[in-house]
Amino acid sequence: MSAPHTDVEQVEAANTAFYEAMERGDFDELSSLWLTPSDLGVDEEYHDPADSGVISCVHPGWPVLTGRAEVLRSYALIMANTDYIQFFLTDVHVSVTGDTALVNCTENILSGGPAPEDGDELGPLVGQLVVATNVFRRTPTGWKLWSHHASPVLAETGEDDENGRNGVNGANPDDSPLA
Amino acid sequence: MSAPHTDVEQVEAANTAFYEAMERGDFDELSSLWLTPSDLGVDEEYHDPADSGVISCVHPGWPVLTGRAEVLRSYALIMANTDYIQFFLTDVHVSVTGDTALVNCTENILSGGPAPEDGDELGPLVGQLVVATNVFRRTPTGWKLWSHHASPVLAETGEDDENGRNGVNGANPDDSPLA
């Protein structure tokens, strides 16, 4: 049973490459990691009723972006507004089923915007706790991103804090018996 | 090319069934809509290095929940704290690739908690704008949920409001050229 091990390692490497491309601000590399319909052998000219391989992306607090044009434009925008970004990934979990892989991870993000106009230094650094669900698809040239959904964690688990912000319907992670 | 049409219709029906089970507070129905490893022919006793078919769920503002025990417990908790919930789905987009389907949708949620102890009426109703990425897997008994990730939309697109809350790195949907 070495094949699943190899799959997991390859998917983890693709997931890491995605975040490293963001850290380097390497837009071309980032673009190459996202799935195209032609990666799946789908003719992009022919209208596919199932929209095979159409990518989507949700940045924290954003609405859904669908299709390569919208998704890649958002990354160009974010890179233009970010001078420094680093991702410390924790709790990485991979589930591979057939030719699709689901990766959940926690993105501990440290980032800073461009310098203010009258200064030479970085904008202030901010930290963010974000969780992500990344869906990858197996292609002849490796695992490619089909979907990225990232969202802010509004309250920590494990705290006994009745003042935590609400999640769904007044239930929040602090109320959860999971902690 | 009628097969993809059928796939899309079946996936949309599975997605709708998921939200309707929540609206009815039908925990058994909800549980039956989530994937199990046995749906995929995977032996649950055997340790699978790729964790095939392991489900995950992110509620708005929550950390990641992984595996049936954690995920289903969270729904039991939410149902216990919710007397009324209604989902108005908009912008539903389906992408089917092989045996996996990706659904993005906007959940316009209206919900209310249990009545206060001294009253007979519902708790106050609250509205929430949430976006979701739902991943479904084809099984012999229909399309089943592999992953659900829902997150709050913190600023509307299309507004020209410099005071919108930040998304990633100071970029937010209001700054986006997509609006």
Side-chain angles (χ1 to χ4, degrees), chain B residues 111-148:
Chain B
S111 63
E117 285 182 26
D118 56 350
D120 294 332
E121 298 180 5
L122 278 176
L125 289 178
V126 293
Q128 278 184 287
L129 185 61
V130 165
V131 289
T133 301
N134 299 324
V135 185
F136 290 86
R137 188 77 194 170
R138 191 196 306 270
T139 80
T141 54
W143 292 89
K144 298 287 182 75
L145 257 178
W146 187 8
S147 167
H148 168 68

Side-chain angles (χ1 to χ4, degrees), chain B residues 18-87:
Chain B
F18 169 60
Y19 289 104
E20 288 181 349
M22 279 293 290
E23 287 180 340
R24 290 197 310 273
D26 188 337
F27 183 76
D28 290 342
E29 168 74 7
L30 187 86
S31 303
S32 75
L33 298 172
W34 282 88
L35 191 67
T36 65
S38 63
D39 284 329
L40 303 169
V42 174
D43 179 354
E44 300 191 42
E45 296 298 313
Y46 167 74
H47 173 68
D48 175 3
D51 276 346
S52 284
V54 170
I55 63 173
S56 68
C57 178
V58 179
H59 300 296
W62 287 40
V64 181
L65 308 177
T66 307
R68 284 184 73 83
E70 280 197 2
V71 171
L72 295 181
R73 215 181 302 153
S74 75
Y75 280 102
L77 178 77
I78 290 169
M79 286 179 177
N81 284 287
T82 307
D83 265 12
Y84 176 85
I85 191 161
Q86 194 161 7
F87 295 89

Side-chain angles (χ1 to χ4, degrees), chain A residues 68-110:
Chain A
R68 284 184 74 84
E70 279 197 5
V71 171
L72 295 181
R73 215 182 302 155
S74 75
Y75 280 101
L77 178 77
I78 290 169
M79 286 179 178
N81 284 287
T82 308
D83 264 11
Y84 176 84
I85 190 161
Q86 196 161 7
F87 294 90
F88 303 92
L89 299 187
T90 54
D91 308 315
V92 180
H93 182 258
V94 179
S95 172
V96 181
T97 300
D99 292 331
T100 311
L102 201 69
V103 179
N104 285 113
C105 57
T106 301
E107 306 173 356
N108 305 273
I109 307 176
L110 188 64

Side-chain angles (χ1 to χ4, degrees), chain A residues 5-73:
Chain A
H5 275 299
T6 307
D7 282 347
V8 170
E9 285 163 15
Q10 288 176 349
V11 169
E12 284 178 345
N15 194 60
T16 301
F18 168 61
Y19 289 104
E20 288 180 351
M22 279 293 290
E23 288 181 340
R24 292 197 308 273
D26 188 337
F27 182 76
D28 290 341
E29 169 74 6
L30 186 87
S31 302
S32 75
L33 298 171
W34 282 89
L35 190 67
T36 64
S38 63
D39 284 329
L40 303 169
V42 175
D43 179 352
E44 300 191 41
E45 297 298 313
Y46 167 73
H47 173 68
D48 175 3
D51 276 346
S52 283
V54 170
I55 63 174
S56 68
C57 178
V58 179
H59 300 297
W62 287 39
V64 181
L65 307 177
T66 307
R68 284 184 74 84
E70 279 197 5
V71 171
L72 295 181
R73 215 182 302 155

